[in-house]
Amino acid sequence: GLPAAGKSTLARALRRRLPRRPGWACALLSYDELIPPEAFGPSEPGAGPAPLLPRWKQSRRELLQCLERFLRALVTGEPLSAPPAAGQPGWERFLACCRGQGLLPPGERHGGAGRSGTPAATAEPLYLILDDNFYYQSMRYEVYQLARKYSLSFCQLFLECPVECCLQRNRLRSHPLPDETIRLMARKIEMPDLKKNAWERNSLILKSFDCTLEDEYQIIGLLATALENPVKPNEENLEQKEADRAICAASTVHQADGICRRIISQTMKDAKDKNVLPSEMKSLAEELNKLKAEFLEDLRQGNNLKNQICIQNQYSDPATSVISSFQHEATNVVNKYILK
């Protein structure tokens, strides 16, 4: 759900209620606490070459690796060891969160060996609540893949809240997000599609974060259904493959959009360096953005994806031919202004 939709309020309520009512063990992993705020800020000057992934994406990837290590240790009974690629501060935050909720023995650090004990076994089913915006389906699908890999249950709670309501609540926070950040996320957010995506069938869309008694019954029912139907490791069907392809296409379009934006930025800089009149720069920008929208729509409709293959989360690179073609067309557009 969107920022300030009530996700954390509901997550904390479930963390308290589930062990009391159905007798299920429960732990809460809050992405806001596990991913440092600085990951979303600009890179520090002089920090070296730009990383391949933005810091917030890298932090999410590392957190997912930490979660997988924990699940693997929980399922196999092996000692918990740090992922090779995980940053030390991120791993320590994850361990502290787990220890604080009794998922790991307090124990001493085992930094040299990278091991931190074995997850505490429970007689009751253990529910891990992941509290995050998860606004792209691909973000949620990564978690589903972990459930499938280790034969675990998976379900989703989506909090649907009007944008204006989220904006009002956000402004009352001690560290509010910019309004535009929430509006942008509202335009991009992808709700669970229970009919189209087989992997999202265990989902519940709530209209309010107040968690009425009726909502609580629905949530308990969803959790019980998910518990009785863990994801099968080799679950294969046409519907699932179609969902994989859709996520692959969305990821490709998203990557292509970023590359096109960089091309436009460089093209505008070149035009300015070649003394295109300020009065014409606005028209040039509008023409380039219109061109980008047309190319991305072609990509979104699959007109240039006929031979692309995507298996699970091994996404292919953005459609190189489309990017190359866009670069060529953008050069033609700017030349019209330069050669006037």
Side-chain angles (χ1 to χ4, degrees):
L2 294 175
K7 299 180 301 301
S8 296
T9 301
L10 176 57
R12 288 191 295 266
L14 291 175
R15 171 76 177 86
R16 293 191 304 270
R17 295 179 193 179
L18 292 182
R20 292 204 305 262
R21 188 168 179 179
W24 294 330
C26 185
L28 172 59
L29 303 180
S30 171
Y31 276 49
D32 282 346
E33 295 176 7
L34 293 170
I35 297 178
E38 55 267 23
F40 299 92
S43 299
E44 296 180 5
L52 295 177
L53 286 175
R55 286 193 297 170
W56 67 271
K57 283 189 177 181
Q58 184 62 35
S59 293
R60 292 185 69 93
R61 177 172 291 182
E62 290 177 358
L63 178 51
L64 201 68
Q65 292 171 344
C66 293
L67 178 59
E68 176 167 11
R69 287 298 175 111
F70 175 82
L71 295 177
R72 181 184 301 167
L74 193 65
V75 170
T76 63
E78 297 175 355
L80 180 61
S81 58
Q88 189 65 21
W91 177 240
E92 290 299 331
R93 278 192 300 270
F94 181 80
L95 294 180
C97 177
C98 291
R99 289 192 184 108
Q101 299 182 75
L103 296 177
L104 289 173
E108 68 282 354
R109 293 185 182 180
H110 299 278
R115 295 182 179 275
S116 300
T118 303
T122 62
E124 307 86 5
L126 171 63
Y127 281 96
L128 291 177
I129 300 174
L130 306 189
D131 174 16
D132 183 55
N133 300 120
F134 285 119
Y135 56 98
Y136 286 132
Q137 286 180 354
S138 56
M139 294 174 171
R140 309 192 296 265
Y141 187 64
E142 288 176 331
V143 180
Y144 170 82
Q145 285 178 307
L146 287 183
R148 182 168 62 182
K149 183 174 182 178
Y150 295 102
S151 300
L152 303 174
S153 300
F154 173 88
C155 61
Q156 302 178 141
L157 292 174
F158 180 87
L159 292 186
E160 190 173 26
C161 186
V163 179
E164 292 305 320
C165 181
C166 291
L167 291 172
Q168 291 174 10
R169 294 176 187 161
N170 173 67
R171 291 168 190 148
L172 298 175
R173 291 177 163 179
S174 56
H175 300 287
L177 294 171
D179 282 6
E180 185 51 37
T181 298
I182 296 179
R183 293 188 188 279
L184 178 63
M185 194 176 292
R187 292 195 293 271
K188 291 185 174 183
I189 199 164
E190 298 170 347
M191 291 177 61
D193 193 331
L194 282 62
K195 294 181 179 179
K196 184 177 180 182
N197 297 330
W199 63 273
E200 292 194 291
R201 63 179 176 267
N202 284 335
S203 299
L204 182 60
I205 298 174
L206 299 175
K207 297 291 184 181
S208 169
F209 73 89
D210 291 331
C211 197
T212 63
L213 190 60
E214 182 181 352
D215 289 336
E216 188 169 340
Y217 284 142
Q218 289 189 74
I219 293 171
I220 296 298
L222 174 70
L223 296 177
T225 298
L227 181 64
E228 294 167 2
N229 298 277
V231 183
K232 297 176 183 177
N234 298 318
E235 199 172 65
E236 288 289 346
N237 55 55
L238 294 177
E239 194 174 5
Q240 182 62 60
K241 290 179 180 179
E242 183 58 36
D244 292 350
R245 280 195 293 270
I247 290 173
C248 175
S251 174
T252 301
V253 171
H254 181 63
Q255 293 177 58
D257 180 49
I259 295 173
C260 288
R261 287 175 187 273
R262 290 194 288 274
I263 291 173
I264 289 176
S265 177
Q266 185 60 48
T267 302
M268 293 295 293
K269 183 178 181 300
D270 292 344
K272 185 177 180 180
D273 292 343
K274 293 182 180 178
N275 299 317
V276 172
L277 296 175
S279 59
E280 295 182 330
M281 291 291 283
K282 182 178 179 182
S283 298
L284 173 59
E286 290 175 350
E287 198 167 342
L288 288 172
N289 280 302
K290 182 180 178 182
L291 183 68
K292 174 176 75 75
E294 292 171 354
F295 270 81
L296 292 180
E297 184 58 28
D298 281 344
L299 194 57
R300 192 174 287 110
Q301 296 299 327
N303 296 344
N304 297 285
L305 291 172
K306 293 179 181 177
N307 297 319
Q308 286 202 353
I309 298 174
C310 174
I311 301 176
Q312 293 184 358
N313 68 339
Q314 302 301 312
Y315 300 117
S316 53
D317 291 333
T320 306
S321 60
V322 174
I323 300 302
S324 176
S325 181
F326 179 78
Q327 175 82 71
H328 177 73
E329 292 293 335
T331 301
N332 289 342
V333 170
V334 76
N335 283 341
K336 292 190 304 183
Y337 289 81
I338 293 173
L339 300 176
K340 277 186 177 181

